[in-house]
Amino acid sequence: MRPTSSAFMILFAVSLIASAGNMGLQSVLPAIGRQFGLVDTLVAGAFALSALIWTLVSPFWARLSDRLGRKRVMMIGLGGFIVSMTGFGVAATAGLEGWLAPLVAFGLMATARGVYGLFGSAAPVASQAYVADRTTAQTRTQSMSLLASAQGLGTVIGPVLAPVFVLPIVGLAGPLYAFALIAAAVLVVVWRKLPSGGVVRIPTAKAPRASRGLWKDPRIRDYMLFGLLIVSAQAVNISVLGFHVIDEMAGSGVSIGQAQPFIAIAMFAGAVGTLMVQWGLIPLLKMQPRDLLRWGAGLALAGNVISVLGAGYYGAVVGYGVMSMGVGFARPGFTAGSSLSVEPHEQGAVAGLMMSLAGLGFLAPPVIGVALYEWLEPAPFVGNCLLLALALGLCWWSGPLRRGPPDLPDRDETPGPDLQPASQPGPEGGRRFAASS
């Protein structure tokens, strides 16, 4: 399957709408929670629930696609996304219009988000398996890279489009209905136009028994610790951002509803910063994993320092943008570094471990970060400074991180463009399908 084929364009659209919809929801959720008068921590818990369910059920969808077929499972995932976004929108409208008590409405919103965690994970898993079935070992990396770039593009498009759909009748729930309608159109295209059959399905492989304890292996253990620190700090920044912007704009007389475009601009700045690093600076400078780790942790730390010391809305935007650039450097660093530190037969197991960090990072840290923010505004950023200072210190204290992966003469250690942009929150944006050649 060529990246220019109509089938690949359909898969690209599937990944794009899921990423854009999730980031659009992330951008309006703080404002909805504030208008409901709910505790910010409770609002953050909705995404943590989705991340937990996603992490648990993704392997099930991968195996089911072996039996039912990639297209059918992909359609199940899109259907789950549509039901989730529509249900979330209806519940939000009911709460905002006073038809339901805020807590009841939010309970329905959390349930709708759980539906996405349960079913929405089927679409990206099946999409990547579809590509694996129809590409050779030589062309698979490029195809997977382009498919992953749809998720990175969605992190930019989602927050930008969300304010456009905040319309007089539907209000803050408008983006949810809009993304559900777009996904419904994509579902029809998948049903009518995406080819199925005609190829041998590559079965979903389970990790060998010898690789199941790989997380304790000294070759990659410190990469995993570094990655967990980075992803946790990123999760805190993402979950706090909307509330932070609303509070900063309130000082200028901007209401909660009017703050939505300002949240979108802040999220857009972070997404562009990440894409600029991963699609521009890293290939241009040909940076190695060791350098990526140091620059990544250092910039992410600097971004959180700016969030602590910077005043007003611009301080919040600049701090988030610099932090996102740091994550853009760091995430390819620990992903590539761990991959380059093990043998070829261990690559699938290491990839699974690296992807599990996204699920771990987006479970407790967002809730803890928002709880700290409710207690004292600078607290989550101060906490992140401690996490990132530890990550930066690890770059020199850890032997594997200080030395970098083994320098093999026939290997280019520069992370390639197949490494997915790091701005997409949670396991929704971080799961890859590992398949054998």
Side-chain angles (χ1 to χ4, degrees):
M1 182 173 61
R2 294 174 291 105
T4 56
S5 66
S6 60
F8 188 87
M9 292 298 105
I10 294 173
L11 299 181
F12 191 92
V14 171
S15 296
L16 180 64
I17 185 58
S19 174
N22 277 299
M23 286 303 287
L25 174 57
Q26 181 80 30
S27 71
V28 299
L29 186 57
I32 293 174
R34 286 289 178 87
Q35 291 205 357
F36 278 8
L38 299 176
V39 177
D40 294 346
T41 309
L42 186 62
V43 177
F47 266 80
L49 171 66
S50 173
L52 174 62
I53 297 175
W54 181 288
T55 303
L56 293 176
V57 303
S58 290
F60 164 78
W61 291 119
R63 292 190 295 271
L64 187 65
S65 72
D66 293 339
R67 301 196 301 271
L68 292 184
R70 316 306 190 193
K71 180 176 176 177
R72 290 182 182 177
V73 172
M74 203 180 306
M75 292 175 64
I76 291 173
L78 279 170
F81 177 87
I82 295 166
V83 170
S84 173
M85 295 296 277
T86 304
F88 204 105
V90 170
T93 298
L96 293 170
E97 295 295 330
W99 302 336
L100 293 175
L103 278 177
V104 175
F106 184 76
L108 294 175
M109 289 161 58
T111 301
R113 189 62 191 170
V115 169
Y116 177 70
L118 184 61
F119 293 100
S121 55
V125 169
S127 297
Q128 293 177 48
Y130 189 99
V131 173
D133 291 343
R134 290 163 172 79
T135 53
T136 64
Q138 290 73 25
T139 62
R140 189 169 304 155
T141 296
Q142 180 190 11
S143 298
M144 290 292 191
S145 170
L146 291 173
L147 188 63
S149 70
Q151 297 171 341
L153 184 60
T155 65
V156 177
I157 293 176
V160 173
L161 286 182
V164 176
F165 298 121
V166 180
L167 302 173
I169 297 177
V170 291
L172 289 170
L176 309 179
Y177 298 131
F179 286 117
L181 284 173
I182 297 171
V186 174
L187 176 58
V188 172
V189 172
V190 170
W191 172 47
R192 298 292 299 274
K193 301 295 184 180
L194 186 68
S196 61
V199 297
V200 177
R201 296 174 196 156
I202 301 176
T204 303
K206 295 184 178 180
R209 289 187 177 274
S211 300
R212 293 179 187 175
L214 196 59
W215 61 272
K216 297 181 289 186
D217 193 306
R219 295 173 297 171
I220 66 166
R221 182 181 54 212
D222 291 346
Y223 283 107
M224 288 197 64
L225 176 58
F226 179 92
L228 183 59
L229 293 170
I230 292 291
V231 172
S232 297
Q234 181 197 20
V236 170
N237 284 118
I238 291 174
S239 62
V240 169
L241 178 64
F243 302 111
H244 191 197
V245 170
I246 290 172
D247 291 337
E248 293 294 346
M249 296 309 300
S252 303
V254 177
S255 68
I256 295 175
Q258 295 171 328
Q260 193 55 46
F262 297 94
I263 297 174
I265 291 172
M267 297 186 77
F268 177 76
V272 169
T274 301
L275 296 178
M276 179 183 68
V277 165
Q278 294 192 339
W279 291 353
L281 294 179
I282 293 177
L284 177 66
L285 300 177
K286 298 188 181 298
M287 299 175 70
Q288 307 303 319
R290 179 181 63 181
D291 302 316
L292 293 172
L293 298 179
R294 296 174 181 179
W295 276 98
L299 280 173
L301 174 59
N304 279 274
V305 171
I306 293 172
S307 296
V308 173
L309 302 178
Y313 173 68
Y314 294 105
V317 174
V318 172
Y320 183 73
V322 173
M323 182 282 306
S324 298
M325 291 180 65
V327 175
F329 280 114
R331 195 160 185 171
F334 70 77
T335 304
S338 61
S339 176
L340 293 167
S341 297
V342 299
E343 301 298 326
H345 69 277
E346 299 171 299
Q347 293 300 319
V350 167
L353 287 173
M354 289 296 118
M355 291 307 103
S356 70
L357 295 179
L360 292 174
F362 280 82
L363 289 178
V367 179
I368 295 172
V370 174
L372 289 173
Y373 182 80
E374 287 186 292
W375 171 59
L376 188 66
E377 185 173 309
F381 308 113
V382 172
N384 269 0
C385 288
L386 297 176
L387 291 178
L388 295 166
L390 179 58
L392 187 60
L394 198 62
C395 294
W396 278 273
W397 300 330
S398 166
L401 271 58
R402 185 177 63 252
R403 294 187 299 268
D407 186 15
L408 301 182
D410 59 345
R411 181 173 70 190
D412 179 11
E413 294 182 358
T414 304
D418 58 306
L419 288 164
Q420 179 180 325
S423 56
Q424 170 70 0
E428 292 91 335
R431 185 162 186 90
R432 284 177 182 263
F433 177 84
S436 61
S437 303

